[in-house]
Amino acid sequence: KSFSKTSRIVHLSQPAVSLQIQALEEFFGTKLFDRTGGAVRLTPAGKILYKHSKHILDHYVEVEKDISKITGMIKGGVKLGASTTIGNYVFPRVVIDFKKNHPKIKIEMIVGNTKRIEDLLTSGLIDIGLVEGDSTKSSLNVEKLMSDELLVIVPPVHPIARKKGLSVLDIAREPLILREEGSGTRQKTDEYFESHGISISDIHVAAVLGSTELIKEAVADGLGISIVSSWAVKKELAEGKLKAATVREGKIHRDFSLLFPQKAHTTHAVDDFILFVKKYPFESISPV
């Protein structure tokens, strides 16, 4: 219901999106959108086109499945959206192993923060999403995939690296490097502090960075400490470039979740990928 929001989601300029709409309207010879009053609504013709377009896509999926049952050959593609930690540190290995078993299936993976993956999924631009943290979209089905632990990382030479156990207050007093809002890691970090009565506004925030790789470099260089997924720092911990501090209040856990639209008609390729992911031995993945 917004051209500007749509343009951000699909990574096109707003004029480019408007041109696509204009081409559709010229083809059908009628207005498909009502743009009056500062809002964008479907016209009666637009509602008809939207309804039939969904049916066309659903029928195409069913045709593809029926033919693959006869031929025994699964082809097609999977458009996958993965939030940053999963996309960068977990799923490259999973995708490689899937392709070995299904060479004819094309995998496209978009990596972004959790909010962006949810937007892409609800907009129909990807088939499934893999995210950190909870989904805020009631239109999506959520299935737990695996557990993850968030670690407090510090430079090896930092004084608090020698402490037997940090308290939440100790962490809050240190310069903290955070992920951006919309990130699953940021969501869990905020919830963790708030569950112990600490507001983010009371924390000494040294920097907000949109990349876990940048955060690891900043921590190693002594800019501050941070809270990141254990998957993201396996290599650095093993090499001694970073150290994980023990938190007195206990470990910080979250889930990695599989998201897909409710009542979605998925292709045979997507079904096979979901089944593969659900059975995958994630504990076998070694540090990159």
Side-chain angles (χ1 to χ4, degrees):
K1 299 180 181 180
S2 165
F3 285 171
S4 58
K5 184 178 180 181
T6 299
S7 66
R8 290 194 298 271
I9 291 172
V10 301
H11 279 230
L12 289 174
S13 67
Q14 189 169 331
V17 171
S18 297
L19 282 172
Q20 296 282 358
I21 299 301
Q22 182 181 339
L24 270 178
E25 291 180 332
E26 288 177 355
F27 179 83
F28 286 103
T30 185
K31 288 292 183 184
L32 301 172
F33 291 89
D34 179 3
R35 303 171 178 84
T36 59
V40 179
R41 300 179 184 87
L42 288 172
T43 64
K47 290 178 181 178
I48 291 172
L49 178 60
Y50 180 64
K51 175 184 176 181
H52 285 288
S53 295
K54 291 179 72 176
H55 284 309
I56 289 168
L57 292 174
D58 290 343
H59 285 309
Y60 178 80
V61 168
E62 293 305 316
V63 169
E64 188 180 57
K65 281 186 174 180
D66 288 345
I67 291 178
S68 68
K69 287 177 184 176
I70 295 172
T71 63
M73 185 182 297
I74 302 174
K75 299 171 69 176
V78 179
K79 293 182 179 179
L80 165 68
S83 55
T84 310
T85 300
I86 300 173
N88 288 329
Y89 306 107
V90 182
F91 260 75
R93 182 74 259 168
V94 178
V95 170
I96 290 170
D97 289 344
F98 179 80
K99 285 290 292 181
K100 289 177 182 176
N101 296 317
H102 303 81
K104 291 188 179 294
I105 296 179
K106 179 182 178 182
I107 302 290
E108 296 180 44
M109 185 165 73
I110 298 173
V111 177
N113 67 31
T114 295
K115 184 180 183 304
R116 171 158 167 73
I117 299 306
E118 288 179 338
D119 286 342
L120 289 169
L121 195 56
T122 54
S123 301
L125 297 174
I126 56 176
D127 299 308
I128 58 174
L130 297 144
V131 301
E132 309 132 21
D134 301 322
S135 172
T136 59
K137 306 284 188 181
S138 59
S139 60
L140 299 176
N141 285 321
V142 182
E143 288 190 20
K144 178 183 174 181
L145 194 61
M146 57 186 291
S147 293
D148 180 37
E149 181 183 356
L150 294 181
L151 302 176
V152 178
I153 57 169
V154 301
V157 297
H158 198 289
I160 67 172
R162 295 189 291 272
K163 283 194 174 184
K164 296 293 183 182
L166 292 178
S167 70
V168 178
L169 286 174
D170 290 332
I171 299 170
R173 292 189 190 106
E174 292 291 328
L176 198 64
I177 305 168
L178 299 174
R179 281 288 306 274
E180 79 287 359
E181 291 187 16
S183 154
T185 300
R186 174 64 181 272
Q187 177 193 23
K188 190 64 180 180
T189 299
D190 290 356
E191 290 174 358
Y192 175 71
F193 283 115
E194 288 167 5
S195 69
H196 289 87
I198 301 172
S199 170
I200 289 294
S201 61
D202 297 328
I203 293 173
H204 180 187
V205 179
V208 176
L209 301 176
S211 160
T212 303
E213 289 298 308
L214 288 176
I215 287 177
K216 291 191 294 183
E217 290 181 21
V219 172
D221 289 341
L223 183 61
I225 68 174
S226 190
I227 299 175
V228 300
S229 168
S230 59
W231 285 94
V233 288
K234 282 186 175 182
K235 181 179 179 182
E236 289 79 7
L237 294 178
E239 295 175 350
K241 294 179 180 178
L242 293 170
K243 185 171 181 180
T246 304
V247 182
R248 196 181 304 158
E249 285 81 2
K251 295 180 179 180
I252 310 171
H253 287 289
R254 66 174 175 183
D255 293 332
F256 287 162
S257 299
L258 180 67
L259 305 182
F260 48 92
Q262 295 180 13
K263 301 178 182 178
H265 290 260
T266 53
T267 66
H268 207 154
V270 172
D271 289 343
D272 267 35
F273 184 79
I274 291 174
L275 185 63
F276 183 85
V277 167
K278 287 181 177 180
K279 294 182 176 180
Y280 194 85
F282 292 100
E283 66 280 358
S284 67
I285 299 177
S286 57
V288 179

